[in-house]
Amino acid sequence: MYIVLGAAGNVGSRVIEALRPAGEKIFALIHSEQKASAVDGGNVEAVVLDVLDSAALRAVFQRGRRAFLLNPPAHPGTDTNAEELKTARSIAAALKDSDLEKLVVQSTYGARQGDGTGDLSVLYEFERLAEASGIPTAINRAAYYYTNFDMLLEPARKGLITTAFPEDFILPMVSPTDLGKAAAARLSGPVSDVGIEYVEGPQRYSFADVVAAFSAVLGRSVSLATTPRDRLEESFRKLGFSPAARS
């Protein structure tokens, strides 16, 4: 039996999609009753709970053999580091006495120890907490999600997208679908398959390539504006990030 956290999200839903055809029981963990119907059915059972409830989460973990773990992002208007550390530690606490035989943890390329690096340090801590459980742990560090470009569609329709990246900046990128397949493969693979793997698409693209792709799809010329470093905080503030989240 498999357990998938964030089952209604970009990556979690793809993990279920990749696991479902094998027919094994899957517990799909979500935080919203409204999203339950989107994942429930067949060999997939939706379980609605708050990951801050470690006891309830442990009870679900005790029903399965292997679990896909991700740490849900906090609302940008909060102190994101503090909130995400709470959920990471709650998930880790729920692993105690769970008897799970393997974990697959979703993380990010830049995960590292330190302060002032946002979710990079939080996800590094999440990795270490999972490994400290003593359960064999496979860690998938993901490149930049293609789905992050979804928010640029409307500005692109108007002919201009604004990012923090220079036009010639080349960035490893990945599709959530491929992340789901990679996680499912490690989740169903040997218990001995542990440690960190980096997951990205078959090709790296520059932001000039991103602009060209928008132009081709929309059938119009699209330009790129790079936000100057001294205006990055202002741009995040306009997006609704709290002072703590911007620091």
Side-chain angles (χ1 to χ4, degrees), residues 74-86 114-122 233-234 236-237 240-247:
H75 189 280
T78 65
D79 183 340
T80 52
N81 274 29
E83 294 304 311
E84 289 174 7
L85 280 172
K86 285 181 187 176
D115 297 320
T117 58
D119 65 352
L120 303 184
S121 58
V122 173
E233 183 174 344
E234 177 188 346
F236 281 111
R237 184 168 61 248
F241 283 77
S242 71
R246 297 196 307 268
S247 65

Side-chain angles (χ1 to χ4, degrees), residues 34 62 81 98 137 152 154 175 185 187 191 197-198 212 216 245-246:
Q34 289 75 17
Q62 289 172 336
N81 274 29
S98 67
T137 301
L152 299 180
E154 288 310 311
S175 162
L187 199 60
V191 171
E197 288 189 1
Y198 291 83
R246 297 196 307 268

